[in-house]
């Protein structure tokens, strides 16, 4: 049995199988609904039920309060229709967004690389090509774990057969210690995607500033490679923050790109002051950017990926330097570990 769900304001109609969530059905049919965690925890995919009945599913009472249910709201990532329905989602038109249906892919691990003492690069050769926009992510299905884990695609979108995932070890986590210990070349793995609304706004034709910290380098690496390979002439600057040189991975790649492309600038920044041999920037990426751009970011587009404290500091610096919400983009996907009070989106902003 299946049901039809009409999605306003776009007017798209998706076919939802019995027991399938509205979000999963929409994404697999190339219809975008804003989302982040995909597990009923963050509330990003909250929609209004205009017609019909749904089963609310395992929605967190913090993400969807009883009062909101009474008002006719549900979470698209947990709600399953009980009849034909109509919903309204907060969908913004974006000329640079591509409608790429989510699919499941099987692949073989062909390389495992220690990028830093706590970040592994896992390269998976897929059985079929994956279409995605640089900056998007996939759900990586971990053997023995019910819920997949979200990891950004690190390779250029021009590389559709072998995908790279950079996986940072979370010592008190569940899945990443297992992955670091057990992933081996030759293993068969399943990934689903692409997900996310993080990509370069090419139609703006504005200089780009990327901020990356930790394994948050994945999306900027993919986006920058894509732009340079496709012949972008816009100025591109990457601020890459790390604690020390050991954590500063892919530095040689970016230095090589800087030599080959006049429009690309690489600014690595180390936060550990006890690095006497380091001749580059020290401190934090937002302070380095403030110095390089002389506290004037107007006329740029900024893309931020990394730990929440870094993103918050960068947003503050950018806005003080005359760059505002419509030109600032942050990567948004969450795990259960991420979803605490400190990491919730600010109520002052719609998109950051």
């Amino acid at each position: 049995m299946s049901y039809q769900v009409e999605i306003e304001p776009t007017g798209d109609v998706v076919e939802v199988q019995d027991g399938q969530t509205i979000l999963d059905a929409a994404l697999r049919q190339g219809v975008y609904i804003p989302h982040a965690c995909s597990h009923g925890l963050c509330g990003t995919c909250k929609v209004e039920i205009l017609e019909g009945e749904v089963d609310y599913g395992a929605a967190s009472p913090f993400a969807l309060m009883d009062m909101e249910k009474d008002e006719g709201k549900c979470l698209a990532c947990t709600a399953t229709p009980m009849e034909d329905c109509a919903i309204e989602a907060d969908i913004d038109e974006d000329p640079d967004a591509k409608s790429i249906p989510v699919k499941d892919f099987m692949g073989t691990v062909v390389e495992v690389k220690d990028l830093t003492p706590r970040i592994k690069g896992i390269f998976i050769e897929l059985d079929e090509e994956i279409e995605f926009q640089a900056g998007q992510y996939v759900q990586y299905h971990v053997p023995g774990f019910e819920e997949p884990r979200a990891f950004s695609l690190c390779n250029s979108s021009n590389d559709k057969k072998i995908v790279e995932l950079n996986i940072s070890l979370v010592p008190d986590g569940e899945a990443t210690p297992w992955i670091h210990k057990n992933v081996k070349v030759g293993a068969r793995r399943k990934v689903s995607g692409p997900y996310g609304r993080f990509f370069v706004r090419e139609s703006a034709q504005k200089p780009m500033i990327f901020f990356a910290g930790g394994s948050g380098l994945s999306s900027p690496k993919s986006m920058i490679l894509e732009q340079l390979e496709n012949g972008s002439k816009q100025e591109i600057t990457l601020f890459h923050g790390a604690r020390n040189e050991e954590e500063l991975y892919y530095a040689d790649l970016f230095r090589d790109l800087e030599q080959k492309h006049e429009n690309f600038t690489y600014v690595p920044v180390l936060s550990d002051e006890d690095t006497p041999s380091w001749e580059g920037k020290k401190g934090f990426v937002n302070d380095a950017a403030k110095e390089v751009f002389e506290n004037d970011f107007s006329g740029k587009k900024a893309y931020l990926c990394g730990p929440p404290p870094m993103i918050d500091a960068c947003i503050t610096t950018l806005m003080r330097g005359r760059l505002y919400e419509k030109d600032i983009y942050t990567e948004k996907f969450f795990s259960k570990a991420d979803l605490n009070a400190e990491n919730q989106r600010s109520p002052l902003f719609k998109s950051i």
Side-chain angles (χ1 to χ4, degrees):
M1 181 180 293
S2 64
Y3 303 102
Q4 289 191 332
V5 176
E6 183 175 348
I7 302 171
E8 297 295 345
T10 63
D12 290 299
V13 177
V14 298
E15 196 82 10
V16 187
Q17 300 301 313
D18 190 31
Q20 184 181 28
T21 68
I22 294 172
L23 178 65
D24 185 63
L27 295 179
R28 288 179 181 274
Q29 292 168 62
V31 178
Y32 176 75
I33 294 176
H35 62 281
C37 76
S38 300
H39 302 299
L41 301 171
C42 70
T44 304
C45 66
K46 194 175 298 176
V47 298
E48 183 176 354
I49 306 166
L50 302 177
E51 295 178 12
E53 295 289 333
V54 304
D55 182 328
Y56 292 95
S60 162
F62 299 101
L64 182 69
M65 296 182 287
D66 289 339
M67 175 183 67
E68 292 176 306
K69 291 181 181 179
D70 294 339
E71 293 173 349
K73 293 182 173 61
C74 70
L75 300 185
C77 72
T78 61
T80 55
M82 301 171 67
E83 58 182 341
D84 290 347
C85 297
I87 63 171
E88 184 170 10
D90 186 14
I91 303 173
D92 291 330
E93 294 289 338
D94 193 317
D96 295 298
K98 296 180 181 178
S99 296
I100 306 173
V102 167
K103 295 174 58 179
D104 298 323
F105 299 86
M106 290 300 299
T108 303
V109 177
V110 293
E111 184 179 3
V112 179
K113 182 186 299 185
D114 288 325
L115 299 173
T116 79
R118 62 187 186 87
I119 299 176
K120 280 188 181 293
I122 298 177
F123 298 78
I124 303 172
E125 184 174 0
L126 303 178
D127 294 349
E128 59 178 304
E129 293 186 348
I130 181 173
E131 295 288 339
F132 68 97
Q133 286 187 268
Q136 290 189 296
Y137 66 93
V138 295
Q139 297 279 4
Y140 177 87
H141 296 259
V142 187
F145 293 84
E146 182 178 354
E147 294 180 358
R149 268 46 178 185
F151 298 108
S152 294
L153 291 157
C154 194
N155 50 289
S156 164
S157 60
N158 295 318
D159 301 326
K160 304 180 188 301
K161 199 70 185 291
I162 297 182
V163 298
E164 178 186 356
L165 308 178
N166 292 170
I167 300 179
S168 181
L169 176 65
V170 181
D172 57 350
E174 297 177 349
T176 59
W178 190 95
I179 295 171
H180 272 239
K181 182 179 179 180
N182 294 285
V183 67
K184 298 288 190 298
V185 170
R188 295 285 289 171
R189 288 292 182 266
K190 174 183 174 182
V191 299
S192 304
Y195 292 94
R197 201 74 161 178
F198 191 63
F199 49 82
V200 172
R201 270 59 181 185
E202 293 185 358
S203 63
Q205 291 295 296
K206 292 183 178 181
M208 293 163 263
I209 308 173
F210 292 89
F211 294 88
S215 59
L217 181 65
S218 298
S219 288
K221 175 175 175 283
S222 176
M223 297 158 90
I224 290 167
L225 287 174
E226 177 192 71
Q227 289 298 302
L228 296 178
E229 289 171 2
N230 292 351
S232 172
K233 301 302 180 183
Q234 296 297 326
E235 292 294 325
I236 302 171
T237 306
L238 168 63
F239 293 92
H240 180 197
R243 284 176 291 184
N244 50 54
E245 288 187 76
E246 198 174 30
E247 296 284 342
L248 196 68
Y249 69 109
Y250 279 128
D252 289 342
L253 168 67
F254 291 118
R255 290 183 179 118
D256 183 57
L257 291 173
E258 189 176 37
Q259 292 296 316
K260 292 179 178 177
H261 300 274
E262 292 183 356
N263 60 322
F264 176 62
T265 302
Y266 174 54
V267 186
V269 186
L270 301 186
S271 60
D272 188 349
E273 296 293 339
D274 188 23
T275 50
S277 62
W278 177 252
E279 297 180 355
K281 300 285 186 185
K282 290 185 180 181
F284 298 103
V285 289
N286 60 300
D287 293 326
K290 181 179 179 180
E291 178 185 338
V292 170
F293 284 94
E294 298 179 342
N295 199 32
D296 184 3
F297 303 102
S298 57
K300 312 289 194 301
K301 289 280 186 182
Y303 302 88
L304 287 57
C305 303
M310 184 209 84
I311 288 179
D312 290 344
C314 289
I315 290 173
T316 299
T317 297
L318 290 168
M319 295 187 77
R320 287 175 176 173
R322 299 171 58 204
L323 193 70
Y324 303 110
E325 182 183 6
K326 67 181 180 67
D327 292 316
I328 301 174
Y329 306 91
T330 63
E331 187 173 45
K332 297 184 184 70
F333 60 76
F334 300 93
S335 68
K336 287 185 177 180
D338 295 322
L339 292 161
N340 54 48
E342 293 180 353
N343 293 342
Q344 296 302 308
R345 186 173 65 187
S346 168
L348 299 176
F349 304 112
K350 181 178 179 181
S351 61
I352 60 176

